[in-house]
């Protein structure tokens, strides 16, 4: 039996399905999570949220706390960013996902959001994993940029062992010798993890490529490989974004991608509603 007993298919052969009110992850639906890398202002977030709602996006994303490599980069608006996300949810009816970067901020993030994101840098922050295992908010767990599949599933095991069984795995690319792309999105990890685990798996081609021109083709490839959903960075003016502008789609580019994904999903016996 694998070390990730609770996350493995030997423990639970049937897929875990997570009901998020606007969508169901893990039952054949292709779920679209979209929004800016970081919440920059109320005007930006609410305007974009309206647009994304009209386009058929299922979940809004936006960072209020940003773990940045440089201490001089924009690190988010903190609690004010969370308040703006809550207003976007009230305006659109869409659930929101945002990253919790530290155990100290967990209660604050729980107050304003619907889904907790554990970022790549925190995938093996075991104290944080234990704490989110004690709550009932769904947890979106990103793969560490140098993590093996087994290490990723063992990180999920920490959350499951704490009693929270609403875990969503996110393949966001791993660091390799290649420098043209920001990361190397591990497409084969998607069917591999779905073979090993019952947990839903989504892909993040924005971080996986770091290049706007590559996001759509890699997104299509991820869906074809069996991803239950996509997490996409979208910004109304990427050249002015305070973080991750080069990999952010314009809203109209997201609209074209979703139109391309619908027949692809249907050809695979799935749906993008």
């Amino acid at each position: 039996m694998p070390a990730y007993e609770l996350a493995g298919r030997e423990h639970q052969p049937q897929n875990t399905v997570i009901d998020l009110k606007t969508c169901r992850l893990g039952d054949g639906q292709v779920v679209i999570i979209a929004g800016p890398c970081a919440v920059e202002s109320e005007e930006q977030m609410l305007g974009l949220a309206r647009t994304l709602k009209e386009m058929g996006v299922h979940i809004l994303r936006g960072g209020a706390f940003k773990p940045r490599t440089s201490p001089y980069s924009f690190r988010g608006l903190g609690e004010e960013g969370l308040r703006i996300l809550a207003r976007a949810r009230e305006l659109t009816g869409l659930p929101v996902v945002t990253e919790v970067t530290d155990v100290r901020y967990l209660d604050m993030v729980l107050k304003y959001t619907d889904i907790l994101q554990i970022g790549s840098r925190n995938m093996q922050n075991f104290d944080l994993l234990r704490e989110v295992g004690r709550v009932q908010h769904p947890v979106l767990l990103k793969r560490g940029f140098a993590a093996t599949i087994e290490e990723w599933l063992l990180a999920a095991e920490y959350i499951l062992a704490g009693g929270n069984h609403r875990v969503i795995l996110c393949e966001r690319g791993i660091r390799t010798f290649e420098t043209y792309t920001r990361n190397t999105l591990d497409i084969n990890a998607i069917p591999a993890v779905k073979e090993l685990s019952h947990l839903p798996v989504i892909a993040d081609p924005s971080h996986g490529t770091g290049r706007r021109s590559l996001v759509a083709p890699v997104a299509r490839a991820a869906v074809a490989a069996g991803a239950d959903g996509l997490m996409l960075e979208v910004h109304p003016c990427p050249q002015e974004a305070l973080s991750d502008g080069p990999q952010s789609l314009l809203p109209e580019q997201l609209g074209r991608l979703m139109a391309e994904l619908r027949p692809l999903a249907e050809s695979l016996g799935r749906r993008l509603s």
Side-chain angles (χ1 to χ4, degrees):
M1 181 173 289
Y4 43 86
E5 179 181 347
L6 298 176
R9 283 211 180 266
E10 290 185 26
H11 171 75
Q12 181 180 313
Q14 71 276 17
N15 290 337
T16 288
V17 178
I18 300 177
D19 191 341
L20 297 167
K21 297 182 181 179
T22 58
C23 58
R24 286 166 59 84
L25 263 164
D27 73 344
Q29 183 178 8
V30 178
V31 172
I32 304 297
I33 305 169
C37 173
V39 178
E40 298 170 5
S41 69
E42 183 168 348
E43 180 183 11
Q44 168 235 28
M45 191 67 217
L46 298 191
L48 184 58
R50 289 189 190 96
T51 300
L52 296 177
K53 166 73 172 180
E54 292 168 0
M55 294 171 63
V57 165
H58 305 99
I59 300 169
L60 295 174
R61 61 149 294 156
F65 294 95
K66 301 300 300 178
R68 304 299 299 276
T69 301
S70 169
Y72 307 113
S73 298
F74 177 64
R75 301 190 64 203
L77 297 177
E79 188 167 11
E80 179 55 27
L82 294 173
R83 292 192 189 100
I84 292 169
L85 284 171
R87 291 181 200 125
R89 175 181 58 195
E90 183 179 357
L91 178 71
T92 63
L94 297 178
V96 296
V97 56
T98 197
E99 183 171 356
V100 55
T101 57
D102 193 294
V103 171
R104 293 172 297 173
Y105 306 139
L106 180 57
D107 288 341
M108 183 193 304
V109 176
L110 286 169
K111 179 180 174 182
Y112 294 102
T113 60
D114 305 284
I115 305 166
L116 303 172
Q117 176 181 311
I118 303 295
S120 178
R121 292 170 177 84
N122 271 319
M123 190 206 80
Q124 290 186 309
N125 182 338
F126 301 120
D127 289 335
L128 181 57
L129 296 178
R130 287 191 186 98
E131 288 302 312
V132 299
R134 295 190 179 108
V135 306
Q136 291 308 306
H137 275 51
V139 178
L140 192 155
L141 177 65
K142 288 198 164 189
R143 182 182 181 182
F145 55 73
T148 65
I149 288 173
E150 182 176 54
E151 289 167 339
W152 187 17
L153 290 173
L154 283 169
E157 192 79 5
Y158 268 88
I159 302 170
L160 296 168
N164 186 346
H165 299 282
R166 305 176 76 193
V167 177
I168 304 156
L169 300 172
C170 180
E171 165 58 43
R172 49 80 70 199
I174 52 177
R175 180 172 291 175
T176 68
F177 55 81
E178 182 54 67
T179 58
Y180 182 73
T181 53
R182 179 172 178 175
N183 295 290
T184 298
L185 197 132
D186 188 3
I187 293 289
N188 63 257
I190 297 166
V193 169
K194 291 183 75 66
E195 185 176 83
L196 295 168
S197 177
H198 53 86
L199 297 172
V201 184
I202 69 170
D204 178 353
S206 300
H207 282 89
T209 65
R211 290 177 175 265
R212 187 177 306 114
S213 63
L214 300 181
V215 170
V218 174
R220 294 192 297 267
V223 170
D228 295 295
L230 298 168
M231 191 172 200
L232 301 159
E233 290 187 347
V234 181
H235 196 285
C237 191
Q239 65 271 23
E240 297 179 8
L242 296 181
S243 65
D244 287 356
Q247 67 195 36
S248 297
L249 297 175
L250 289 159
E252 54 265 34
Q253 292 175 311
L254 175 63
R256 288 196 295 271
L257 173 59
M258 291 177 68
E260 295 167 352
L261 290 173
R262 288 189 180 96
L264 174 61
E266 289 172 7
S267 74
L268 297 168
R270 303 167 67 199
R271 66 193 185 281
L272 199 171
S273 56

